[in-house]
Amino acid sequence: MKTNPISELERALTREFASSPKGPRAAQIIAEYARQNDDWRAFARFSPHQYTRNLVARNEHFEMLVLCWSVGQQSPIHNHASQNCWMAVLDGEISEVQFRVASSGEPIELAQGATRLYRPGQVTFINDDIALHRVAPVAGGAGISLHLYSKPIDVCNVYDERTGRIEQRQLQYFSTPSCS
């Protein structure tokens, strides 16, 4: 029985996180997948209204999603609910702008940090100890990225740069394997 590469990726990540909850080889594993495969296209679903979070796999150790970004779409500034996050670019170019909280209490002040650009096959890592961030395709383009969260994240905080307000957001999937 032949398996597809994304199923092999899921199995490799399951073994990785079962042996070490921090997933020390996770970046290498998803980078190899992103550079060599395109069966992720089966999970790519776009919406003209917002970027989409398309579930590929979820278990007790991690969730893996394909995020699709149309021109002009971006995530809000957000945290990762104390979880680790890896992002591999699959198509297009994706920018990441990092932020830190410059003043506590509410309203908060955010200070902009590094801005980075990622191309297909490149992987980045973030968690709440590093920074908050906003992700978007490069201006004028669309993009697709693979996101790996260990452990799964159901609720995160989003930060309004203008008002300084923090809001908890319930995360949802645009598509799942059973309803794609």
Side-chain angles (χ1 to χ4, degrees):
M1 179 173 144
K2 185 172 171 95
T3 59
N4 57 2
I6 208 157
S7 295
E8 289 296 326
L9 172 63
E10 179 183 355
R11 280 192 283 285
L13 291 169
T14 298
R15 287 189 301 271
E16 177 68 11
F17 286 107
S19 69
S20 175
K22 293 186 183 220
R25 293 187 55 247
Q28 177 186 347
I29 293 168
I30 65 172
E32 287 173 15
Y33 171 83
R35 284 192 299 268
Q36 299 173 11
N37 299 286
D38 69 354
D39 62 329
W40 51 263
R41 292 183 189 282
F43 295 91
R45 306 276 185 282
F46 285 86
S47 168
H49 308 293
Q50 64 188 30
Y51 73 94
T52 62
R53 301 175 76 248
N54 304 286
L55 181 66
V56 175
R58 181 180 171 126
N59 60 43
E60 65 184 290
H61 301 291
F62 67 86
E63 69 181 330
M64 183 171 46
L65 299 101
V66 169
L67 273 63
C68 297
W69 312 85
S70 294
V71 174
Q73 295 177 342
Q74 65 181 7
S75 74
I77 299 168
H78 62 281
N79 75 353
H80 292 92
S82 300
Q83 301 307 317
N84 291 327
C85 169
W86 294 263
M87 177 182 75
V89 176
L90 300 172
D91 192 42
E93 295 181 335
I94 304 289
S95 72
E96 173 195 42
V97 180
Q98 294 184 349
F99 296 86
R100 67 175 175 75
V101 176
S103 69
S104 58
E106 244 187 89
I108 60 152
E109 260 184 62
L110 295 175
Q112 186 172 322
T115 298
R116 294 185 174 92
L117 174 68
Y118 301 99
R119 293 182 171 83
Q122 292 183 307
V123 175
T124 185
F125 172 83
I126 195 165
N127 63 29
D128 296 345
D129 293 332
I130 296 170
L132 308 171
H133 72 173
R134 177 173 48 221
V135 176
V138 170
I144 301 175
S145 49
L146 179 71
H147 293 245
L148 175 65
Y149 305 105
S150 72
K151 300 198 184 277
I153 303 172
D154 295 318
V155 177
C156 74
N157 289 336
V158 297
Y159 300 78
D160 187 314
E161 188 175 16
R162 190 178 52 78
T163 66
R165 295 203 167 184
I166 303 169
E167 174 188 322
Q168 278 200 330
R169 178 142 326 149
Q170 180 75 38
L171 299 174
Q172 300 178 339
Y173 304 123
F174 185 77
S175 69
T176 61
S178 61
C179 70
S180 295

